[in-house]
Amino acid sequence: PSIGGFPAMRTSALVGRRGAMKSHLAYYCMLRHALGAATENDRAAKNVLLISLRDDLEGAKHTLAQIVEQQEILDATAKGQDIVQSLIDHDRLEIFYNPPGCISPGEFFHRVFVALARGRETSGFALPDGTNLPEPERQTAEIVVLNGLDHLEAKFPLCAGERVFIPALTALFRDYKVCSIVISAEESGDAQSGEIGPMADLILEFDSLGKRGFPRPSDQEVRKV
């Protein structure tokens, strides 16, 4: 089975150049399921967890709010920032962010473990504009997005120095039966050369338009899309 096209209870890797819309795709999928706005075959809402190694808390919330509004994920009049804040307030969405520093691999791993294992609210709720959201399918997080794996070495050197850190995280995701999406900028363009490639069940490699002979779209064509 899949969740939004990603293998359920497995790890998917989105790798490629910066600015190739990797995080946009992952956030879009995560938000649609958190809001209960998925496809007709999978309309149950889901608790979701965002582990941000790239943006801080406010930056991540701003990006999520922009995606809600730009993609018109939900037929609601509430602002994107209010929708995202409601998801956080009602425990449907958790944003895990740790300031860069010398946090030990064990402490970082434990914090992720707690975020996965803890029980969450299971009731539906209403957005500020009165739009009702359905109750989630599970009490624990069902979708996990880990964004910014390429920032690990610079921001968390002790974690990056632990060779089993990434394999341990992916094993933890699988043990808790979550659909995990890991995002990493691989400038080399070779998905297999990154930390996450060998651990992923699905690899989607992103490239910028025009790199391999495809014509770049004009600004007018981009706006039209």
Side-chain angles (χ1 to χ4, degrees), residues 19 28 80 133 138 183:
Y28 175 74
L133 298 186
R138 277 175 27 182
I183 306 167

Side-chain angles (χ1 to χ4, degrees), residues 2-221:
S2 67
I3 295 179
F6 296 103
M9 298 179 286
R10 294 292 185 269
T11 296
S12 299
L14 308 188
V15 299
R17 287 174 169 263
R18 288 180 172 83
M21 307 294 283
K22 302 181 298 297
S23 58
H24 189 101
L25 173 62
Y27 286 1
Y28 175 74
C29 175
M30 179 183 71
L31 286 167
R32 279 182 61 85
H33 285 88
L35 293 167
T39 63
E40 292 295 333
N41 295 329
D42 190 8
R43 296 196 64 85
K46 302 183 188 308
N47 288 315
V48 299
L49 169 67
L50 169 60
I51 303 173
S52 179
L53 304 181
R54 190 186 68 179
D55 300 323
D56 61 14
L57 182 60
E58 292 304 317
K61 288 166 62 175
H62 177 71
T63 301
L64 293 172
Q66 282 188 315
I67 293 175
V68 169
E69 294 182 353
Q70 291 172 358
Q71 299 296 331
E72 299 179 349
I73 294 178
L74 198 65
D75 185 16
T77 59
K79 294 181 179 180
Q81 58 185 7
D82 294 333
I83 293 177
V84 171
Q85 190 60 52
S86 292
L87 291 174
I88 295 173
D89 293 342
H90 290 86
D91 211 17
R92 183 70 57 86
L93 161 68
E94 179 181 359
I95 301 177
F96 175 103
Y97 171 75
N98 196 91
C102 293
I103 180 174
S104 69
E107 183 179 354
F108 196 108
F109 186 88
H110 177 73
R111 290 190 60 193
V112 174
F113 164 76
V114 171
L116 286 176
R118 72 176 184 84
R120 301 171 185 270
E121 292 187 22
T122 57
S123 59
F125 60 92
L127 296 176
D129 67 346
T131 302
N132 291 314
L133 298 186
E135 62 184 27
E137 196 169 35
R138 277 175 27 182
Q139 187 179 15
T140 55
E142 194 168 354
I143 299 176
V144 176
V145 173
L146 193 163
N147 191 12
L149 187 61
D150 50 296
H151 291 240
L152 187 67
E153 185 173 1
K155 295 182 177 179
F156 305 100
L158 296 182
C159 296
E162 177 55 70
R163 296 186 61 181
V164 299
F165 183 70
I166 300 303
L169 280 182
T170 57
L172 182 66
F173 296 153
R174 181 169 296 186
D175 286 346
Y176 276 87
K177 296 180 172 59
V178 299
C179 173
S180 57
I181 305 171
V182 180
I183 306 167
S184 180
E186 300 290 347
E187 293 295 347
S188 65
D190 182 5
Q192 297 298 335
S193 67
E195 291 281 350
I196 189 59
M199 306 305 302
D201 299 278
L202 170 69
I203 299 175
L204 297 181
E205 187 174 356
F206 289 65
D207 206 345
S208 57
L209 290 175
K211 181 187 176 187
R212 297 183 180 176
F214 296 100
R216 290 184 177 275
S218 64
D219 292 340
Q220 183 178 4
E221 290 173 326

